[in-house]
Amino acid sequence: MPSQLLALALIPGLLIIFYIYRKDTVEKEPRGLIIKLIVLGALSCIPAAAAEAFMDAHFVVNSSRLAWAASNAFISAALCEEVCKFALLYLGSWKNRNFDYRFDGIVYGVSVAVGFALLENVMYVADGGFETALMRAVLAVPLHAFCGVFMGVFYGGMMKHNVNGNSGGKVRCLIGALAVPIMIHGTYDTFAFLGDNISTILLLAFTAIMYVVAIKYVSKFSREDWNAGFYRLSREENTANHSVILRCPRCGCYLRLPVGAGKIIVTCTRCGNRFESHT
């Protein structure tokens, strides 16, 4: 595979990861954890492929073109891929001590989804070439990211309810973390599998809508993350828990510092700015 095609296959997903990482304004997630989740997302392609082969053989309906497209999209592709992504997301991050803010769920969900998309995209681009790379850069790769955003929204809700001891809320968010991405993915793939002119128009319209909705949700949860800590919901509670949150004077990133450390030099995790503070 030529290096130019490989770059075209990888760059869209990496740009999405960079965008989400920049949106994480409160306690940025460790880069090592993000890389780990990207790798796990790529590995989820293996069980997903096996599950899809089984579903294709036993559950895809061939009574009509629409029935085939919908059953293949929802039962084979969307169900298998999103369940496998969620399983690897859970295994790779649920017990991680850095998972303490609602937006973290979005960072983790998108990382796993993009990891899956990167490997899948490399395989498709290697076979289809330059035109496939361009088409998938604006359609299929963002589609996986959209699913990762909404999986992450509900995944973050799962952790919040788990910390608060709300088992019912946790179950509802678990259902949402699977059902919403499956619906998004299945709808997209149904239009793609039908492949006629009307379906193509609907596919483009659906993707455009998802761009707007996903960006809106990412921005919303990024803005609200200050008040979405699972253990620290206010400055008073932060102090009681032996930590305090302040903002970098250069970029505005929120940083957590220990209480009672006295005069210290703080290095911003986003921009690298060093400044003096008292806690």
Side-chain angles (χ1 to χ4, degrees):
M1 183 177 185
S3 58
Q4 295 90 339
L5 273 184
L6 180 61
L8 284 174
L10 296 177
I11 287 174
L14 297 178
L15 288 176
I16 291 171
I17 291 290
F18 179 74
Y19 168 73
I20 295 295
Y21 184 78
R22 292 286 295 178
K23 283 290 188 178
D24 186 13
T25 57
V26 182
E27 289 189 4
K28 286 196 175 298
E29 301 311 291
R31 295 176 185 177
L33 175 58
I34 292 175
I35 293 172
K36 170 188 171 183
L37 291 172
I38 293 172
V39 172
L40 288 174
L43 291 175
S44 70
C45 289
I46 300 172
E52 285 181 57
F54 177 82
M55 291 295 189
D56 283 343
H58 296 87
F59 295 100
V60 172
V61 179
N62 294 305
S63 58
S64 68
R65 181 171 179 77
L66 178 59
W68 171 83
S71 61
N72 197 16
F74 282 93
I75 297 174
S76 179
L79 177 64
C80 297
E81 293 181 14
E82 299 306 326
V83 168
C84 289
K85 284 189 283 188
F86 181 83
L88 273 293
L89 167 65
Y90 186 90
L91 290 174
S93 63
W94 183 254
K95 294 184 178 180
N96 193 287
R97 62 182 179 83
N98 294 287
F99 192 2
D100 54 1
Y101 278 87
R102 187 74 182 266
F103 195 81
D104 296 349
I106 295 177
V107 175
Y108 302 158
V110 172
S111 296
V112 169
V114 167
F116 186 102
L118 287 176
L119 181 56
E120 182 186 67
N121 208 38
V122 167
M123 293 188 292
Y124 273 104
V125 171
D127 182 59
F130 183 75
E131 291 183 1
T132 299
L134 293 181
M135 181 181 67
R136 289 182 60 84
V138 295
L139 294 175
V141 175
L143 176 276
H144 282 287
F146 301 152
C147 295
V149 167
F150 288 99
M151 183 178 288
V153 167
F154 287 101
Y155 186 56
M158 278 181 61
M159 177 59 80
K160 182 176 181 178
H161 289 303
N162 181 67
V163 170
N164 293 334
N166 183 354
S167 58
K170 180 181 176 182
V171 171
R172 287 192 296 272
C173 284
L174 170 60
I175 294 171
L178 291 170
V180 175
I182 288 171
M183 290 300 298
I184 294 170
H185 195 154
T187 301
Y188 176 96
D189 277 0
T190 298
F191 294 144
F193 292 158
L194 286 172
D196 54 40
N197 291 336
I198 295 177
S199 298
T200 300
I201 293 171
L202 292 173
L203 172 65
L204 295 175
F206 177 74
T207 304
I209 292 170
M210 289 309 306
Y211 267 103
V212 174
V213 174
I215 291 172
K216 179 180 178 180
Y217 268 80
V218 168
S219 298
K220 174 181 183 293
F221 280 92
S222 177
R223 288 193 309 269
E224 296 176 354
D225 209 30
W226 161 257
N227 294 315
F230 305 133
Y231 306 106
R232 289 158 291 278
L233 302 180
S234 67
R235 287 184 180 275
E236 291 75 19
E237 289 178 0
N238 275 317
T239 302
N241 285 315
H242 310 295
S243 64
V244 64
I245 291 179
L246 53 77
R247 298 188 73 174
C248 170
R250 176 186 291 175
C251 70
C253 179
Y254 291 105
L255 305 166
R256 180 170 56 184
L257 302 174
V259 171
K263 179 181 176 181
I264 57 175
I265 301 298
V266 181
T267 302
C268 177
T269 56
R270 176 196 279 182
C271 68
N273 179 40
R274 292 170 61 85
F275 59 94
E276 184 180 293
S277 181
H278 294 266
T279 65

